[in-house]
Every structure is written in C-alpha cells, then in structure tokens.
Amino acid sequence: LVKGGGGGGGGETRSFTVRIEPKWAPRGADRFLTLIKDGYYDECRFFRVVPNFMTQWGISSSPAQNAKWRHKKFPDDPNSGHSNARGTITFATSGGDSRTTQLFINYKDNARLDDQGFTPFGRVTSGMDVVDSIYSGYREQPNQEMIQKNGIEYLSKHYPKLSYIVSARLLP
C-alpha cells in the first residue's frame, strides 16, 4: 500500500503488486522477502525519484531498523539476462557485493544498468500507474545519511510530501 502520489504524502492510499522472480536473482529475491517479513519497508519513503528513470526507497523510517540492516551487505547476483525494463525492481548498489536494503523500480527501459551489477529480481504486475504517480518534486534532495540517522523525524520535517509505503506484505 502506497500513500501519496501526485500531490505527495497526503494523497490517497493505493497499491501496486510486485511479482518476485527468484530465478532471475535468487539472492536479491531472498533479501527482499526477508525484509518484507521483518516489516522493514513499512512506512518507507520514496526518497529518490528521478522522472523517466526510476524511483528509489529502502532506507527505513526507523533509525533502529537502519542500524540493524545498514551493514548487512549481500553478494551480487550474476546477470541473468533479464533487463532493467520498465516496471522491474532491482537492488541499488554502490559497487560489487555492496547491496543492503535500498532498491528501485525502473520507470523506463534502463538496459544500460544491466552490466553494472543491477540485476532485477521481480517486476510490477499491477499498479504501475501508482508507481508512476509517486511524488517526484524533491527529486534527489533528501540526504540519505540523515534518513539513516533520524528516519521519519527528518523526512517529515523537511520532505513532508514524499510518497511512502504504508505496508508491504506477501500475498498468497
């Protein structure tokens, strides 16, 4: 469930569904499922939104959750031949074997990412219009280090219009 969009965090609550494809990226799929079960993504803000590129989230609104997961890096998945097409979901990385909790959904086909360690592990199967309407007015302004340390307190004060995940759950 996502709150916000268009006008920002005060908007209506809508949803999108992601289908996990473990064969594409087993390590990424496993980490995502683990974080969903842990409630990590609940109340997570979409803190980096670049129109015609991607929307990124995955720093918890809770500093305690961030402290728990921030340094739990996991190995890259090899390129599986599945491209960063529109609607695919991929973990963010800052280099080899550096993935932790941050991820993004591609707004367009971003095949240039395929050979840079960004291996998709799933795709949006419904509600891509919801993803397209995630608030983009702040672009890349929120400071990731401040989100890690201060969570929702920092985001609510400085970026109140950010769209966010109300809850992320596994469907049968």
Side-chain angles (χ1 to χ4, degrees):
L1 297 173
V2 175
K3 186 152 180 91
E12 65 180 307
T13 301
R14 300 168 61 202
S15 66
F16 67 91
T17 303
V18 173
R19 178 181 175 90
I20 307 306
E21 301 287 356
K23 290 181 181 178
W24 295 6
R27 295 176 186 133
D30 183 63
R31 173 58 63 95
F32 182 70
L33 294 172
T34 298
L35 290 165
I36 294 284
K37 291 173 186 173
D38 190 48
Y40 183 87
Y41 293 120
D42 294 354
E43 302 293 319
C44 241
R45 271 43 182 181
F46 293 93
F47 66 85
R48 182 176 178 226
V49 183
V50 182
N52 203 35
F53 178 42
M54 59 87 213
T55 183
Q56 185 171 336
W57 77 100
I59 302 176
S60 179
S61 293
S62 162
Q65 278 281 49
N66 290 327
K68 175 181 174 180
W69 285 99
R70 184 174 188 180
H71 299 291
K72 292 185 179 182
K73 297 177 181 179
F74 67 100
D76 292 340
D77 285 293
N79 185 326
S80 64
H82 291 90
S83 186
N84 280 275
R86 174 172 164 74
T88 54
I89 184 171
T90 305
F91 271 94
T93 182
S94 60
D97 296 331
S98 66
R99 301 179 300 167
T100 57
T101 60
Q102 294 186 46
L103 28 79
F104 61 91
I105 294 175
N106 290 289
Y107 279 139
K108 68 171 198 160
D109 292 346
N110 289 311
R112 64 186 173 84
L113 300 175
D114 296 349
D115 293 326
Q116 297 178 36
F118 298 99
T119 305
F121 64 87
R123 57 192 160 84
V124 175
T125 56
S126 68
M128 192 62 195
D129 61 317
V130 175
V131 177
D132 288 335
S133 72
I134 289 170
Y135 184 73
S136 63
Y138 301 124
R139 307 278 174 138
E140 301 180 73
Q141 290 178 26
N143 179 294
Q144 294 184 35
E145 191 62 34
M146 292 296 290
I147 303 170
Q148 290 279 356
K149 290 180 182 176
N150 301 305
I152 191 66
E153 182 180 315
Y154 165 74
L155 291 170
S156 294
K157 181 177 180 180
H158 299 284
Y159 304 99
K161 294 182 181 179
L162 288 176
S163 298
Y164 64 95
I165 296 171
V166 175
S167 66
R169 300 289 176 262
L170 299 176
L171 300 175

